[in-house]
Amino acid sequence: MKNIILIACLLIGIKSYAQKNYVSISASAFFATSVKDPINLLSSTIEYGRYLKSGISLGISYGYFSLDADQKYSLARITCPILEKNDVYNLSLSGGVGWFYKFKDILFEYDINNSFKISDKNSLVLSYCVNSAFGDGNMKSFVFAFNRDF
């Protein structure tokens, strides 16, 4: 119920100030964590969000923190652009807070994102991500994503 309320407030709040939407599908691999089981070092996420006129984007994501089916989570994320080159390359910072469904634990995340435009509406994103969850405050991963603007 918390997630439904969060999503509704986010969508209503930014509807009048948004330029365009995006969907992002991502996969990530953890490389610095106390977890050693290989199946728990891979994750996947889908995110829906909106770009604001200022260039900042707000998004809601849903995914699996690991390939273990019990680790489903949702995350609210804000992304701020830092550097843009020729409308082809974009460097940005993002941060978010999420919620694990089964474990009732909070996830904090911050990222450095490198976005490369491959066509008018499509881009590839490579991110360095730091997560804090399950008592492990320094879990690092590389994230590979495909973004589609509409």
Side-chain angles (χ1 to χ4, degrees), residues 87-98:
D87 201 29
V88 174
Y89 173 76
N90 186 335
L91 177 68
S92 62
L93 296 175
S94 62
V97 63

Side-chain angles (χ1 to χ4, degrees), residues 9-61:
C9 289
L10 179 67
L11 294 177
I12 291 168
I14 64 175
K15 177 69 177 165
S16 63
Y17 193 63
Q19 282 186 301
K20 58 184 173 180
N21 303 319
Y22 69 90
V23 172
S24 177
I25 299 171
S26 65
S28 62
F30 290 95
F31 63 89
T33 178
S34 59
V35 176
K36 300 302 178 203
D37 183 13
I39 193 110
N40 289 322
L41 296 176
L42 302 173
S43 68
S44 63
T45 304
I46 185 165
E47 179 175 341
Y48 166 77
R50 290 191 153 204
Y51 297 104
L52 304 179
K53 292 177 184 172
S54 62
I56 293 172
S57 67
L58 301 174
I60 295 287
S61 61

